[in-house]
Amino acid sequence: MTAALVAGFATGAHAEDKKQLAFVVNIAADFWKAAEAGMKKAQGELPDYDLVFKYPDQSTVAIQNQIMDDLVTAGVSAIMVSAIDPNATDNLNKIAGQTALFTTDSDAPQSKRIAYIGSSNVSLGQQAGEIAKAAMPNGGKCMGFVGHLDAANYKERAQGFNEGVKGTQITLVDTRSDGGDQTVAKKNVEDVLVANPDITCMVGFYSYSTPAIYQALSNADKLGKITVIAFDDDPITLGGVKEGSVAGTVVQQPFQWAYQGFKLMAAYLKGDKSGIPADGVIIVPGQILHAADIDAYVANLKAMQGG
């Protein structure tokens, strides 16, 4: 077991006195800091529970599964996970048979999870399409960049993006995956700049994707020459939107996913299922940010995180 996996379990007698609730993410990225802040707020309102936040050392299904297996072994009462592969239902169902399983960010609807809380990734993709249409009224050829092509959040965002630009001359030609490796993410952009000179638009589907695009374009003196469509609120992304080198970004509310998610799990364990809708899906809407929106958004983000 790695040190990262051990860290969440060394709580001693304290963990034995309280039921433990866990939030397991898909990748170690700054995107999740807001969710950690949401967990901190929830912890203040759930003194009878021990809340933990788990990052994988690497963004793989095997490591994510190991984290959940270890949590179950340690006696966790509920897990909320951003599923790297929604089709890896065997282990998800095994976990669901041993503890209360919820999903966030990237759903696994075919699994036996109790509920999903997060964005409608199709809607987020449609909003990204709106950014693209405003930025490229004459059309463009877009290349996407993402961590995992199999993840539900990517598939749904791509679906939504294609729906959002339908009837225009904007096309999502292809998407390059990096397996959650941010060094590979930047190299993917560099490779596209060389191999695909007809690409006029780049879409960063994950939080770290647009910073990789930004850095590669900056190094190649291509900032402002290729339209960039973003997701999420990495500081580099927000800076790019504010300066105009990124056309806009679609942001989510991971703070609310964690805050509401932990409270939902605690209520469920107490027998209160009133917060779980019939379809098991709780949508926290996203928001489009343009240059004029950045300062107010950043101020609110800092306030939520206690900054």
Side-chain angles (χ1 to χ4, degrees):
M1 189 184 300
T2 67
L5 297 184
V6 172
F9 308 136
T11 53
H14 178 71
E16 295 175 6
D17 295 337
K18 299 181 180 183
K19 290 183 177 180
Q20 189 177 76
L21 311 178
F23 198 103
V24 180
V25 303
N26 56 350
I27 189 170
D30 287 346
F31 170 77
W32 291 110
K33 288 182 178 179
E36 288 194 71
M39 179 185 74
K40 183 178 179 181
K41 181 179 179 182
Q43 181 69 84
E45 299 177 18
L46 299 170
D48 296 334
Y49 294 87
D50 179 33
L51 311 187
V52 298
F53 206 96
K54 306 301 296 180
Y55 288 95
D57 290 337
Q58 294 179 323
S59 183
T60 69
V61 174
I63 290 177
Q64 188 178 67
N65 286 346
Q66 186 64 56
I67 290 173
M68 292 191 290
D69 288 341
D70 288 342
L71 284 165
V72 168
T73 299
V76 73
S77 296
I79 294 174
M80 181 164 284
V81 62
S82 172
I84 291 176
D85 183 358
N87 298 314
T89 54
D90 287 348
N91 198 73
L92 290 170
N93 287 342
K94 184 183 78 170
I95 297 297
Q98 298 169 308
T99 192
L101 180 66
F102 295 76
T103 54
T104 186
D105 180 45
S106 186
D107 196 10
Q110 303 307 314
S111 72
K112 295 179 181 178
R113 59 96 169 116
I114 294 163
Y116 165 81
I117 181 168
S119 301
S120 162
N121 284 292
V122 173
S123 295
L124 295 178
Q126 291 169 342
Q127 289 176 300
E130 293 300 317
I131 296 172
K133 286 192 292 186
M136 299 180 290
N138 297 320
K141 290 185 176 181
C142 300
M143 182 68 74
F145 299 89
V146 76
H148 299 284
L149 293 171
D150 290 332
N153 56 359
Y154 162 68
K155 289 183 176 181
E156 292 167 3
R157 289 178 191 185
Q159 173 191 336
F161 183 84
N162 286 327
E163 291 174 0
V165 300
K166 188 175 180 180
T168 73
Q169 294 302 308
I170 299 169
T171 58
L172 181 62
V173 177
D174 200 359
T175 300
R176 301 284 189 261
S177 63
D178 53 62
D181 187 321
Q182 297 181 40
T183 300
V184 175
K186 181 169 174 284
K187 186 176 186 304
N188 282 346
V189 181
E190 294 167 347
D191 290 347
V192 166
L193 288 174
V194 174
N196 305 85
D198 59 331
I199 292 297
T200 59
C201 156
M202 293 184 173
V203 184
F205 282 102
Y206 274 10
S207 62
Y208 64 86
S209 304
T210 297
I213 293 169
Y214 184 95
Q215 291 162 4
L217 292 182
S218 178
N219 291 343
D221 195 27
K222 295 281 189 178
L223 277 179
K225 300 173 184 176
I226 291 178
T227 300
V228 180
I229 314 296
F231 286 82
D232 302 320
D233 57 5
D234 185 278
I236 292 175
T237 298
L238 296 180
V241 174
K242 186 174 179 178
E243 74 184 17
S245 57
V246 176
T249 189
V250 183
V251 296
Q252 305 176 80
Q253 299 192 61
F255 179 97
Q256 291 297 332
W257 302 349
Y259 173 66
Q260 294 182 32
F262 276 113
K263 297 191 75 175
L264 182 71
M265 288 190 285
Y268 180 87
L269 292 175
K270 291 179 179 178
D272 179 3
K273 302 179 182 179
S274 61
I276 299 173
D279 64 358
V281 175
I282 302 167
I283 297 301
V284 181
Q287 175 187 0
I288 293 175
L289 297 182
H290 293 295
D293 306 313
I294 299 301
D295 287 344
Y297 178 81
V298 169
N300 183 59
L301 193 64
K302 287 182 178 178
M304 284 194 302
Q305 297 178 2

